[in-house]
Amino acid sequence: MPTNTLDLPVELTLRRAKPGDLPTVLTLLAEAAKWLNAAGVHQWPDGGFPAARIEPLIEQGTMYLLDDGSDPVPAATMALDGHADPEFWTRSDRPGDALYVHKLAVSRAYSGQGLGEVLLDWAAGRAAEEGRRWLRLDCAKDNPRLQAYYRRFGFRHVRTVDLPHRASGALFERPARGAGYGRALDIEAHKELIRA
């Protein structure tokens, strides 16, 4: 089975999360939420997400893990689906023209190694493969550092939706055909991994 192309000290495999992965996904998301909140970014709940928010993503087959097969916590996780949050994306945005990234998190142990970029490139490739024009996401309205990160990898700011009950609302999109902004990624190898 193919592995990543990141030259990391361990081999990582991108795969769909299974029901048994729920505790480890919740652990990683809680770790990311704690780190974000400590940095003053309140996009995600301080204690992480409740299982009821993540279980459906796993059941629908839209939650992915990047892991080495042995570490109890994955290196990264991300959900990718066609769900356009109706509080953010309007009919004029043509929501069906995109795939949407949700719950992208990289373990602090793998921070700075390019895993987020690889996952975003892979997601853009998946969107193109499905005939979608865009890869979209939303992020914290008050996190210019994260917004700059997305811009660096080909995303453009669409608009900011300021809802008092939501910390998120900065909307970004990038052309699906524009895979390759991050580190080199063997898309053919990743197609095999996901379909295995």
Side-chain angles (χ1 to χ4, degrees), residues 128-142:
E129 187 178 278
E130 289 190 19
R132 312 282 182 126
R133 291 186 60 206
W134 305 104
L135 179 65
R136 291 178 173 156
L137 55 83
D138 62 87
C139 69
K141 297 175 281 196
D142 61 353

Side-chain angles (χ1 to χ4, degrees), residues 63-121:
M63 179 66 77
Y64 295 88
L65 299 180
L66 193 57
D67 68 14
D68 65 4
S70 62
D71 195 318
V73 178
T77 190
M78 173 184 70
L80 180 67
D81 60 29
H83 174 69
D85 188 321
E87 289 194 317
F88 294 150
W89 301 99
T90 67
R91 177 174 285 166
S92 65
D93 293 317
R94 300 179 53 100
D97 286 354
L99 284 184
Y100 298 82
V101 171
H102 315 280
K103 313 295 183 283
L104 174 60
V106 175
S107 167
R108 301 313 305 151
Y110 288 90
S111 176
Q113 297 185 42
L115 299 187
E117 297 125 74
V118 167
L119 287 173
L120 291 170
D121 279 352

Side-chain angles (χ1 to χ4, degrees), residues 139-160:
C139 69
K141 297 175 281 196
D142 61 353
N143 190 344
R145 185 173 164 204
L146 180 60
Q147 292 176 30
Y149 172 84
Y150 289 128
R151 283 185 176 99
R152 240 185 358 261
F153 298 105
F155 285 87
R156 75 171 183 91
H157 180 251
V158 175
R159 68 180 167 279
T160 297

